[in-house]
Amino acid sequence: MSENGSGRIARDRSPERQRPNPLSGLPDLRRFGVNPDFWYPVAQSRSVRGGQVAAAVFAGERMALFRGRSGAVHALEDRCAHRQVPLSMGVVDGETLRCCYHAWAYRGDGRISQIPYLSKGDGRPPRGVRAYPVREAYGLVFVFPGDPEKAAVTPLPEVPGFASPQYRTMAFSRTVRCHYSFMHENLLDMNHQFLHRGVVGKLQPQLLGYRSDQRSVEARYLFTHTGGKRNRSARLLAAEGIGSQASSDVMTIRTEYPYQTLDLVPENADRPALRLWAVYVPEDAEQRTCHAYGLLMIRRPRIPAALHVAWPFIRHFTERVFAEDRMAVEAEQRAWDEQGEDRNHEVFPLILDVRDVLRANGVPLRPRAAAGAGTPACDGRACDAPVPGSGLLAAHPGNPAEPDSPAPPGG
């Protein structure tokens, strides 16, 4: 792809091996997976308690998260190198994780530290299992599922406002049955406010402008409330207070691959009334289900107690808006599944550009059968770890690392 004079990405229509969209001639975006060479949250920190282990997943790669005696969180490939029993079923022992079956002990780097019944001179044990780089920030456990050598030079995402005393943060975590790209499109394309008419009333969005490059797309909208009943929590989120007159708000939404942010600045305000950071982490190898993690930062009003009183109502409001968005994107995914290809008639240039960004930075998905064909068998000798981000491991039928928690407005 190349950038034209307006700053927009010039879409490359050259043929690729991926199946093209019959309408655009471009490779089907829904057949691209996320790039694993970034930091992705796979659990909330509170779900990985001291001395306990939790299951997590990234694009079909099962992980066992455990917090050792020191308090540090580790992430291991979720299988014992012995009999392949999930390590997420194991027991934390100091700074090691023991398999529940034969008590093989693993360090945080994936190496085997002890096999209780192995005598000197017995058969050489395997090297261990893959360990993922881990960092904790913003109340989330991030892993680096790609090339581990890139982890040290790849920064965590920035979340402005998270640590500011001027904002109170609501964390959310939700599974959505759709390809992650539908979530990016949903938040960036604010022309779908009719979907939320029962919650926010009649909102008139006006695109003020947008810009894009190889890694990002940023759009600015002017929102005007033109009638209908507006939820009180929506007014509070816009820093209008209860019972005030309608106002116009400017919303800036940005996809900075692979993350998204949203800032809402009320009329005559000098800073955002709310700030949203979100990312959509694929769960299954086919990447037809993703887990939405996010942080909704709400500016504290002049009367601090007002936000405390309104918090349950804001939570309910965000749940309603997100539920409507989830209904729409999951319907889009079902249509793709039924048709076997992307038949979208997209006309909004902004969305065409964000699709280019997601396609250019993503990784083409390999058919699952072909991907698994070369997986090495373990016969007691050392086995190589799976290719980072390859999704070679079978999907784990267990529960995610933490239960769903409230979600913010998706727009």
Side-chain angles (χ1 to χ4, degrees):
M1 295 185 193
S2 62
E3 187 175 326
N4 61 27
S6 66
R8 290 177 52 196
I9 295 174
R11 283 174 283 279
D12 181 3
R13 295 181 179 273
S14 60
E16 294 185 29
R17 295 198 305 173
Q18 291 292 303
R19 185 183 303 176
N21 181 322
L23 299 174
S24 68
L26 293 170
D28 191 338
L29 173 59
R30 321 308 174 185
R31 298 183 187 278
F32 281 73
V34 300
N35 188 329
D37 288 331
F38 291 89
W39 290 97
Y40 293 93
V42 293
Q44 293 179 305
S45 291
R46 67 184 184 186
S47 70
V48 189
R49 299 172 182 172
Q52 295 188 7
V53 59
V57 65
F58 175 88
E61 296 184 13
R62 295 187 292 112
M63 303 175 188
L65 309 178
F66 74 98
R67 191 182 298 275
R69 182 185 297 127
S70 67
V73 176
H74 306 283
L76 303 181
E77 181 184 353
D78 195 10
R79 66 174 185 88
C80 180
H82 180 209
R83 299 282 185 86
Q84 315 304 304
V85 172
L87 289 176
S88 58
M89 298 168 59
V91 176
V92 178
D93 183 5
E95 289 299 314
T96 65
L97 176 59
R98 288 191 180 274
C99 176
C100 69
Y101 199 8
H102 292 83
W104 286 29
Y106 295 83
R107 301 187 186 95
D109 62 1
R111 297 287 181 173
I112 297 171
S113 66
Q114 184 191 32
I115 300 176
Y117 53 87
L118 188 65
S119 301
K120 188 175 181 179
D122 286 346
R124 183 167 65 91
R127 290 177 297 180
V129 297
R130 180 185 177 189
Y132 296 83
V134 180
R135 293 186 189 176
E136 282 193 90
Y138 317 123
L140 299 170
V141 177
F142 288 81
V143 300
F144 196 89
D147 182 351
E149 294 185 357
K150 296 180 180 180
V153 296
T154 303
L156 284 169
E158 295 183 2
V159 184
F162 178 83
S164 171
Q166 296 181 344
Y167 291 88
R168 180 177 176 183
T169 301
M170 176 186 295
F172 72 93
S173 169
R174 275 283 186 270
T175 295
V176 187
R177 294 181 178 86
C178 75
H179 190 261
Y180 70 95
S181 61
F182 289 116
M183 299 295 290
H184 279 271
E185 294 175 12
N186 172 265
L187 191 62
L188 266 171
D189 189 350
M190 282 291 159
N191 296 302
H192 73 272
Q193 296 310 306
F194 185 76
L195 176 68
H196 304 306
R197 60 194 180 278
V199 182
V200 298
K202 294 182 179 179
L203 280 182
Q204 180 63 46
Q206 176 188 351
L207 181 64
L208 299 177
Y210 78 96
R211 58 187 180 184
S212 60
D213 56 33
Q214 297 292 328
R215 280 279 310 278
S216 67
V217 177
E218 180 179 283
R220 294 176 66 247
Y221 292 89
L222 176 67
F223 275 84
T224 305
H225 186 242
T226 60
K229 184 178 180 181
R230 193 176 188 185
N231 184 282
R232 288 187 176 184
S233 296
R235 292 204 297 266
L236 184 63
L237 285 172
E240 296 177 19
I242 303 300
S244 64
Q245 299 298 315
S247 68
S248 298
D249 310 317
V250 174
M251 182 178 289
T252 302
I253 309 164
R254 182 177 180 85
T255 286
E256 179 76 33
Y257 191 89
Y259 315 111
Q260 272 195 312
T261 59
L262 179 154
D263 286 346
L264 177 67
V265 180
E267 189 176 30
N268 301 321
D270 60 352
R271 66 191 64 186
L274 67 85
R275 313 191 78 171
L276 171 68
W277 174 89
V279 65
Y280 318 110
V281 182
E283 291 189 338
D284 57 318
E286 291 81 8
Q287 302 199 20
R288 295 295 172 261
T289 297
C290 65
H291 203 96
Y293 290 93
L295 302 165
L296 179 65
M297 291 147 284
I298 304 169
R299 188 179 178 188
R300 299 178 186 274
R302 289 186 297 271
I303 304 175
L307 185 58
H308 177 74
V309 172
W311 200 253
F313 301 100
I314 295 174
R315 186 184 297 273
H316 178 67
F317 166 75
T318 60
E319 290 281 4
R320 288 185 62 187
V321 173
F322 189 84
E324 291 174 346
D325 284 328
R326 179 160 58 179
M327 174 189 68
V329 295
E330 289 184 347
E332 289 186 280
Q333 181 63 62
R334 287 195 300 272
W336 191 96
D337 292 337
E338 293 167 359
Q339 297 163 0
E341 60 187 6
D342 189 353
R343 298 185 185 178
N344 285 357
H345 290 264
E346 187 52 62
V347 296
F348 197 21
L350 168 64
I351 298 305
L352 294 175
D353 276 11
V354 77
R355 289 183 179 180
D356 282 339
V357 168
L358 298 178
R359 190 183 291 111
N361 290 279
V363 179
L365 290 169
R366 292 185 294 169
R368 188 179 179 103
T375 304
C378 292
D379 58 359
R381 294 182 291 272
C383 295
D384 292 332
V387 178
S390 65
L392 296 182
L393 298 177
H396 182 44
N399 294 325
E402 79 287 328
D404 283 344
S405 57

